Structure formats: structure tokens, C-alpha cells
Amino acid sequence: MSRLRWWLIGAGLVVAVALGAGWRWFSGPFWLGPEGHYFDSAGVAIHYTDEGAGEPVVLVHGFAATGNLNWRFTGVVDELAKQFRVITIDARGHGRSGKPTDTAAYGEEMVEDVVRLLDHLRITRAHVVGYSMGGFITLKLLTRHPERVLRAAVCGFGWQRPDPSALNVYDVLGSAFRHGIGFSALVGFLNPGSDVGPLRAAIVDFGARSLLDTRAVGALAQSLGALTVTESELRAVDVPVLSLIGSADAMRSGVDALAGVLPHHKIIVIDGGTHRSTPMNPRFRTELRRWLAGDAADGVAAGGSAPER
């Protein structure tokens, strides 16, 4: 995301707080996007949109975002809809979907939401693209239900090993979110070495706490350890997987860790991209479209993983 666009979003938050009408606009068309459809996923109402024609692609957004913000605002939906049937999902705890506050309602249930959505739409197999938390969900999906996935793209996220220190981080983050103090810290973590100052972090923190159910996202954060996968599980994945990451993304090390582990794997690095700017880069959406339209010979032979810039 460009510096100008970032500051416009921050300014929009402040104006929205001051002006009720502006706030309703921000929390509606901008944040939530157009209202689509709902289905019941084990007792939780899940919102999704469905447009375009062709092979189905399910887009899974990142933590504290929405299908609209992560995929439509960035131009990904419009780009992919030229060739594919594009389905965005608001993960439980986000957007227009239900927001349970029990940790047990998240974790692997978010993976099953994708499968239940496919069942609801009577889709046998689909491409699945996830960004950040959505990438976490996608990797777990590949180990649990590989038969439902044509091709996958794990963007802005890599391999999180199931070690005790990682599980402890999720507990700490979950508790912080529940108490409304975690969002500004998360901004700094995802943008190491950047010029994210106290004012900008405070604006993001205020906006996030205003737009999100902090108890729900806190419960979700505490459940993320359930999405970790082992090396043996990854090595068994027989689905072509693209890792699309910015060179300056704090999650880059996790993508590097996947190299040589996933059998049919390709890495594309977007120079200068950060965790928040990469989805706005035009190359991000064009590379996604090329990948999903490709065949098994486009650089994902067994043992592949060499980064491409």
C-alpha cells in the first residue's frame, strides 16, 4: 500500500469517528463491501460473495480484515473474475460472519468453514488462495483435505512450526486483543524497520477496536496454534502451491522455511513489498491469475522452491 493511500485510510478513520455518516460509510461499503450470501457452518453464519465464471477460486482473507478489504479493495476479485468464478469468504469472527467468543469455535473450524462452503455450493474441488491468516488456514486445509484443492496460493505467510514458543505467542496475543491492547503491537510486528510511529499505530489500533469484536478476535488468536502443521504433513501434500511474498515482509522467513519441504512449490518474491503493501501491488494480482491459470509444468516440479523475482 502506498504511503499516500495508508495515510488516507488513517485520515478516513479519524473523519469517520467525527462524522457519523462517514463512519457508517467506512464500516459499510469500504470495510464490509457488498452483502452477498450466507450459509450455516456448524451453527455459525458465514458470509460469502460469489461472482464470475470458470473454475472456482476461494479467497481467504487475513486476520482482522474482511473479504472485501483484502480482495476486492486490492483489485484481486476484479482481476480473477475475468477468468474464474471468484468466491470470497468472511472468516468467522470477521466482517458479516458470525462472531463466537469461545476459543474452541475457531482453530480448525476455520478450515472446515472452507470445506463446508464448497459443500454448500456443490463444488467438488476449487483453487484456494489465502493471505496471512488465510495462508495459515490454507496450509492446514492442504494437509486435511487435499482432495478438495486444485491449486493453492499461500500469500503473506509461510510455515509456522508447532513448537511451544509459537503456541505461547498466540495465547499472549489473544489475551492482548481481548483487552484491546494488541492491535498497535501487531502493526509494529508486521512492519519491522518501517516508519510506523506511535500516532499511526494508535490510529490503526483505534480503528481496529472500533470495527472488530475484540472478544471474538481474541478467541481466534488464541486458537491459531491448532492450525500449525508438521514437516511430514507438508511433505505429503501433492497439490501445487505458490508462495507469494514481499521481500520486506516479516513473514518472509516462514516462506523460506517451506523451500524444499513442499513437493510442488513455487516462490515469487515481490521486491520491496511489506505485509501491508504487497496485496496492493499490481504484480500480486497478475501473478495470482497466471498461477491459477497455469498447468503442472510451470515451475512446480517435485523439489522445486527456488524464489523468483
Side-chain angles (χ1 to χ4, degrees):
M1 185 179 294
S2 68
R3 182 184 297 271
L4 175 60
R5 187 181 290 273
W6 179 255
W7 278 110
L8 285 174
I9 291 174
L13 281 169
V14 174
V15 172
V17 171
L19 303 173
W23 181 252
R24 285 192 295 274
W25 174 86
F26 182 84
S27 61
F30 181 86
W31 185 258
L32 298 176
E35 186 165 15
H37 314 278
Y38 297 85
F39 78 102
D40 182 278
S41 184
V44 177
I46 299 297
H47 175 262
Y48 67 97
T49 63
D50 186 355
E51 56 205 276
E55 288 186 329
V57 180
V58 178
L59 303 176
V60 189
H61 64 77
F63 181 80
T66 62
N68 186 70
L69 188 64
N70 209 145
W71 303 116
R72 192 177 305 278
F73 179 71
T74 57
V76 172
V77 169
D78 287 343
E79 178 69 22
L80 296 185
K82 297 173 183 176
Q83 188 171 356
F84 299 96
R85 178 183 179 184
V86 182
I87 302 158
T88 71
I89 182 173
D90 280 347
R92 56 177 61 201
H94 297 78
R96 298 183 188 274
S97 290
K99 301 172 179 62
T101 56
D102 181 2
T103 300
Y106 294 95
E108 293 187 10
E109 286 297 320
M110 294 188 290
V111 176
E112 297 306 316
D113 286 339
V114 178
V115 176
R116 293 174 190 135
L117 175 57
L118 295 179
D119 291 342
H120 172 73
L121 296 174
R122 299 182 181 180
I123 295 172
T124 302
R125 299 177 72 197
H127 302 293
V128 180
V129 178
Y131 193 83
S132 194
M133 179 192 75
F136 210 167
I137 293 169
T138 301
L139 273 183
K140 190 69 172 182
L141 174 69
L142 288 170
T143 66
R144 288 180 60 88
H145 301 284
E147 75 285 352
R148 306 303 298 269
V149 185
L150 293 167
R151 291 190 145 219
V154 178
C155 309
F157 191 81
W159 181 20
Q160 173 61 71
R161 292 176 174 84
D163 59 68
S165 62
L167 302 182
N168 181 62
V169 167
Y170 298 134
D171 283 338
V172 171
L173 278 176
S175 177
F177 291 135
R178 285 177 185 270
H179 291 88
I181 60 175
F183 297 102
S184 57
L186 187 65
V187 172
F189 171 75
L190 293 175
N191 297 275
S194 71
D195 60 350
V196 178
L199 177 59
R200 186 185 300 186
I203 290 172
V204 173
D205 184 53
F206 176 80
R209 286 188 285 110
S210 301
L211 291 165
L212 297 167
D213 184 320
T214 56
R215 293 188 304 159
V217 296
L220 186 158
Q222 288 183 304
S223 79
L224 289 176
L227 297 178
T228 57
V229 296
T230 65
E231 181 174 341
S232 61
E233 287 176 320
L234 289 175
R235 290 190 181 278
V237 173
D238 195 30
V239 176
V241 180
L242 171 69
S243 288
L244 191 51
I245 191 83
S247 62
D249 194 324
M251 300 296 183
R252 172 75 187 275
S253 62
V255 173
D256 294 339
L258 284 172
V261 177
L262 279 172
H264 307 283
H265 183 220
K266 182 176 183 178
I267 299 172
I268 294 178
V269 178
I270 296 180
D271 285 337
T274 66
H275 197 72
R276 59 182 169 83
S277 71
T278 297
M280 299 296 298
N281 190 310
R283 188 184 173 200
F284 179 84
R285 51 186 179 267
T286 57
E287 292 288 3
L288 272 181
R289 185 181 175 192
R290 287 176 55 194
W291 168 256
L292 298 175
D295 57 36
D298 61 358
V300 290
S305 276
E308 174 185 309
R309 291 180 180 269

